[in-house]
Amino acid sequence: GNSVTQMEGPVTLSEEAFLTINCTYTATGYPSLFWYVQYPGEGLQLLLKATKADDKGSNKGFEATYRKETTSFHLEKGSVQVSDSAVYFCALTDSSYKLIFGSGTRLLVRP
Amino acid sequence: KAGVTQTPRYLIKTRGQQVTLSCSPISGHRSVSWYQQTPGQGLQFLFEYFSETQRNKGNFPGRFSGRQFSNSRSEMNVSTLELGDSALYLCASSLGYTGGDSPLHFGNGTRLTVT
């Protein structure tokens, strides 16, 4: 079945470090891919999305490229801030239009 | 514009009881989806409603049910509660169907604890 696999956390970085959170997927057809972020005590917010191969989604300094050949959608940011500390979820919409989430990766940024 | 509102924010129930959770979507949004979030299973899709009709359903037992009203507000009901139902229940709304160009907007969730 369709699934999303994310790297296990927590990921701990110092402020201004480079961030990569790996995400790979298994799906039939051509899913849309998403990154959502969940701050403590809140619901999820859409961070960025890509709807077809080679699309790059970007927002707030984060970016991810839809790589069909490697079935990946890795999240990157050049310089993280303490305020980026949160849980990040990779997700896809499958052929039945359900949103399937990865297990989430907690990011902790230290000053 | 008000966001997605879920009530109550916290709930404590006893095994065997039933519970109803409420979700008010963003004004104009016609799709409401429900998700269960637990540390062990992560985020799991429960169901989606669009214009008062259930459009999609996840792999949950029949104890989990929902409905959507003509104003797009939605309720989720869980009957005969089990300890394993303790979770954060998230509601999300969107203009159109999930999977289309309309992004999901999530509420802050209802934290249900079953004792």
Side-chain angles (χ1 to χ4, degrees):
Chain A
N2 300 321
S3 64
V4 176
T5 303
Q6 291 181 235
M7 60 189 290
E8 287 210 21
V11 173
T12 303
L13 296 172
S14 298
E15 208 165 23
E16 299 183 5
F18 184 86
L19 167 71
T20 300
I21 298 179
N22 290 338
C23 170
T24 57
Y25 67 90
T26 301
T28 53
Y30 303 94
S32 291
L33 302 174
F34 306 84
W35 277 100
Y36 281 83
V37 58
Q38 186 175 32
Y39 297 102
E42 297 183 12
L44 280 72
Q45 301 174 27
L46 177 65
L47 183 59
L48 53 85
K49 70 174 186 177
T51 57
K52 61 183 190 295
D54 300 324
D55 266 3
K56 178 185 281 188
S58 61
N59 186 27
K60 300 181 182 179
F62 291 90
E63 59 182 36
T65 302
Y66 189 143
R67 301 282 188 206
K68 191 158 180 64
E69 63 278 11
T70 55
T71 61
S72 65
F73 193 55
H74 304 321
L75 182 69
E76 296 182 335
K77 186 175 185 184
S79 176
V80 293
Q81 306 301 312
V82 172
S83 58
D84 293 327
S85 298
V87 181
Y88 293 81
F89 292 90
C90 186
L92 64 81
T93 47
D94 67 5
S95 55
S96 64
Y97 301 107
K98 292 198 288 285
L99 195 61
I100 296 173
F101 287 92
S103 56
T105 302
R106 183 176 299 279
L107 170 65
L108 178 59
V109 181
R110 300 192 186 281
Chain B
K1 205 175 195 181
V4 177
T5 303
Q6 291 188 245
T7 56
R9 191 72 197 274
Y10 301 93
L11 207 47
I12 299 175
K13 290 286 188 179
T14 304
R15 260 184 309 176
Q17 288 185 314
Q18 75 163 18
V19 67
T20 299
L21 312 182
S22 179
C23 172
S24 293
I26 291 173
S27 178
H29 284 194
R30 296 169 64 191
S31 170
V32 173
S33 301
W34 288 89
Y35 291 82
Q36 181 195 65
Q37 186 177 22
T38 59
Q41 299 297 318
L43 278 154
Q44 293 188 286
F45 171 76
L46 280 155
F47 24 67
E48 179 188 5
Y49 287 87
F50 186 87
S51 294
E52 302 180 65
T53 301
Q54 187 180 85
R55 181 170 172 265
N56 230 330
K57 190 177 189 309
N59 296 324
F60 278 81
R63 301 185 296 106
F64 291 81
S65 63
R67 59 178 175 167
Q68 186 181 32
F69 301 95
S70 58
N71 61 358
S72 292
R73 191 177 72 83
S74 177
E75 287 182 347
M76 191 192 99
N77 185 276
V78 187
S79 62
T80 320
L81 283 166
E82 301 177 359
L83 294 178
D85 297 333
S86 295
L88 180 67
Y89 289 88
L90 293 167
C91 168
S93 75
S94 62
L95 270 174
Y97 296 153
T98 298
D101 287 336
S102 308
L104 290 183
H105 297 263
F106 282 82
N108 288 341
T110 294
R111 171 79 59 188
L112 172 65
T113 302
V114 182
T115 62

